[in-house]
Amino acid sequence: GRLGLVHMKQGKYEQALEHYHRALLLQEAALGEHHLEVAYLLKDMAYLYATLARYADAEGLYVRALSLLEGILGGEHPDVAMVRSGIAWVFFRQAKYQAAEKLYRDSLRVREKVLGTLSLDTARSYHELAELYAKNMSKYEEALMYTYRALEVRKKIVGRSPELARSLSQLAWLHFLQGDHEVSEVLQRQSIQMMSEALGPKHSKVAQCLHRLAVTYQRIGRPEEAEDLFQQSLVIRLGAFSATHPDCAQDYHSLAELALAAHKARNISGPSPDLDKSREYLIQASRILTERLGVSHPDAIVVNELHAEVRRMMADEDSEVDYSPPRSGGVFGMPKSNWLYALSFAGFVGVSMIVKMAHK
């Protein structure tokens, strides 16, 4: 699994998964299915599947790993807490927030008890809870508290690092949600620079920071800069993941919002090139989110509601929407003339819903 670990740290998730599968077969044959090393391989594979948005596969492997580790190490071991956090992340990505919170808090309890508060694993729990609570503006203070806790621990232990960059990005996002866009921009730029230095500019974690900065620009009326960053984010995500990854739907959705805003700014009645672009992006986003997360997921609901609005504006509301997987032909299932725009719709992360909540 060492080569798989190298690929995983480089953000080459599909290649990493291939190596882990081979390693698992070898380890099970040599050590048996109930060995500690097998449990750790299952945990790493589950993380890869979750990163690739294959949540059912991820959950199954995490549950297997958890059963083995609890039996071997006991329920209060930090490695058991790590697996519980992994399952919580799978729940979080599927908008199962209550189930995720329960596991995240249990993981934090174990880490603080065994490792103390000055630990990178404990800081990870702080960060995970901060991300979760940022989804609910009534929990904003808790999100801010856990973000600062993670930031301080990471600053003391590792300094400039991907971990610290993630905390800066999360702090920037919380400032954005409160309308403090200037501070948000500065922090997000610091995060992008730090993450790029550590992981390279084409890593998927860099894409998330780019997307968040783009959302800030979108909010403060800098659409050209926002579009450029959304496109950069999408290009990175399409390279790191498949064309049907939910993170790609984030950027498609954001690009659709930009195109729709451009159409509305021109006070045009009926179809326009911008409205056409918005619809194309939303078709891509709807297909991805419906296929990978289901129509009841909050992100899918937001995209489909916006898609319905665009169709009404095109006097097209009675036409049937095709949510089947993207077709082959052109580039990533879109007309060749639009493929550059399609390279920008990957950073969704429920942006529209969060912004609406923040300004109620």
Side-chain angles (χ1 to χ4, degrees), residues 217-268:
Y217 288 154
Q218 179 183 11
R219 183 67 185 168
I220 62 178
R222 294 161 65 177
E224 294 84 5
E225 292 167 276
E227 181 177 6
D228 181 62
L229 290 173
F230 284 137
Q231 288 178 349
Q232 289 182 47
S233 173
L234 183 57
V235 168
I236 292 170
R237 286 165 163 170
L238 288 169
F241 308 128
S242 72
T244 60
H245 193 283
D247 283 1
C248 295
Q250 292 177 344
D251 290 325
Y252 286 131
H253 173 244
S254 296
L255 286 171
E257 289 183 321
L258 285 175
L260 180 58
H263 168 81
K264 289 181 177 180
R266 292 185 175 90
N267 291 318
I268 299 173

Side-chain angles (χ1 to χ4, degrees), residues 283 286 304 307 311 319-323:
I283 287 172
S286 294
N304 289 332
H307 191 189
R311 289 168 57 218
S319 64
E320 184 176 349
V321 181
D322 178 12
Y323 293 126

